[in-house]
Amino acid sequence: MILGANIKNFMFIYGSTIRRLLKYSFIFFVALWGVWNYLGVKRFVYQSFFGKPYSEELAISDNEVYIDLPEDSFRTTTIAGHRIKFKLLKIYQSTGRVIYVDRYTNPIGKSFRDADESGTTRIYDEVVPQDITFVVGEFAKHPKIKGSHEYRSGGLDYDDEYTYGIYRKYAHLYDTHLTNIHTIAASAAVQKGLDILKAGDVATLEGYLIYWETRLPDGYIMDFKSAVYAGEKHTKQKYGGISGVGLCKQLLLTKIVFDGYTFE
């Protein structure tokens, strides 16, 4: 009783002060978060501490570049606490424009992940925490072009009049000059680069297209094979993929260059 009375008296005297402090603290942290993420502070810090200056101008690739590799054997690694087996399929080296970045670790991505009771989406998103809608050639030469990632399917934002106009002009190049790349960072520095990558950036992506698999807690093996050529289509429905639509790339990203910095 005495303790309850003391708390009641304390709140009567200091309650309004505490509420004001909480209110202003919330406003301060929201403002700080906005400055960090949207006014370039995070990008400047990550470039300064995790990147290396790169002075050459990036030349947009006319087409995506794929380089054959000899047949690879399985390798193992651990990503985000998950034991992964993977094979290298091809080398990928292309410079283009990023038109959409979908980060699965944000609140919207987390809600999508938590809705999957099987756990496959959660595990996948921890291994591949972001993917990129990426264009080369004529599409990439238009800085105002906008991308979309509805239902995790990379494409153009047809609701944007400017973008739709570009699409109509180059529709015959769509399948081979636009791609959805699921990126697995090969190093902590590469992940820092991905963390500050944004739509509109002209970037060089270098790495390996891979096949990878991991065993789920129930014993089921979840596996993904990258597209290995421009315009490759799904041949069957699997993990949300739809037969006949573009097959995403699974890219083990070893190097990314953009905005005057290299991360590798």
Side-chain angles (χ1 to χ4, degrees):
M1 294 294 292
I2 295 176
L3 178 61
N6 288 337
I7 293 174
K8 185 176 181 179
N9 289 335
F10 179 84
M11 292 303 298
F12 178 78
I13 298 171
Y14 299 107
S16 60
T17 300
I18 292 171
R19 286 191 291 271
R20 283 197 300 271
L21 285 173
L22 291 173
K23 175 183 176 181
Y24 293 139
S25 295
F26 175 77
I27 293 172
F28 171 77
F29 284 111
V30 168
L32 187 63
W33 181 84
V35 169
W36 174 253
N37 286 282
Y38 295 107
L39 293 184
V41 176
K42 180 178 181 179
R43 176 170 279 216
F44 172 77
V45 171
Y46 280 21
Q47 287 173 333
S48 300
F49 286 92
F50 305 106
K52 298 177 182 178
Y54 185 87
S55 58
E56 297 180 28
E57 184 176 355
L58 298 181
I60 291 172
S61 305
D62 292 330
N63 298 282
E64 293 179 290
V65 178
Y66 304 83
I67 301 173
D68 290 334
L69 288 169
E71 179 68 24
D72 193 28
S73 56
F74 272 112
R75 307 157 186 248
T76 59
T77 188
T78 300
I79 301 174
H82 303 291
R83 192 67 172 170
I84 303 298
K85 291 175 63 177
F86 69 97
K87 284 184 178 183
L88 308 181
L89 303 177
K90 285 192 178 184
I91 295 172
Y92 183 83
Q93 298 175 345
S94 299
T95 300
R97 188 177 300 279
V98 176
I99 61 172
Y100 201 92
V101 180
D102 197 349
R103 293 188 167 88
Y104 298 155
T105 52
N106 63 23
I108 295 176
K110 186 177 185 303
S111 66
F112 185 94
R113 181 171 64 240
D114 290 347
D116 179 9
E117 296 180 358
S118 70
T120 57
T121 305
R122 176 185 61 80
I123 293 172
Y124 183 84
D125 290 0
E126 289 173 353
V127 175
V128 188
Q130 68 284 301
D131 72 41
I132 299 165
T133 306
F134 190 68
V135 290
V136 298
E138 294 298 330
F139 284 114
K141 296 175 183 178
H142 299 273
K144 295 181 181 179
I145 194 170
K146 293 183 179 180
S148 172
H149 199 238
E150 189 173 7
Y151 304 114
R152 298 195 171 191
S153 178
L156 297 177
D157 181 359
Y158 299 114
D159 293 331
D160 179 71
E161 185 176 350
Y162 175 85
T163 300
Y164 185 64
I166 298 301
Y167 166 73
R168 293 187 63 183
K169 187 174 181 179
Y170 300 110
H172 62 290
L173 299 174
Y174 181 85
D175 284 344
T176 56
H177 287 65
L178 180 146
T179 188
N180 196 208
I181 303 179
H182 294 223
T183 51
I184 303 172
S187 70
V190 169
Q191 185 59 58
K192 293 296 184 183
L194 288 170
D195 287 344
I196 58 172
L197 188 69
K198 66 179 188 296
D201 283 330
V202 172
T204 296
L205 307 179
E206 296 185 8
Y208 298 94
L209 301 174
I210 65 172
Y211 164 90
W212 66 273
E213 63 181 46
T214 190
R215 187 178 296 275
L216 301 181
D218 63 3
Y220 179 78
I221 295 178
M222 179 174 68
D223 62 302
F224 297 89
K225 179 183 178 296
S226 174
V228 291
Y229 61 85
E232 185 174 354
K233 305 293 186 183
H234 278 278
T235 57
K236 57 184 176 180
Q237 186 166 335
K238 183 178 181 180
Y239 307 127
I242 301 172
S243 180
V245 304
L247 180 63
C248 298
K249 292 179 175 65
Q250 302 285 331
L251 179 63
L252 180 62
L253 187 64
T254 58
K255 180 179 179 180
I256 181 170
V257 184
F258 64 99
D259 196 28
Y261 286 85
T262 298
F263 298 85
E264 61 183 331

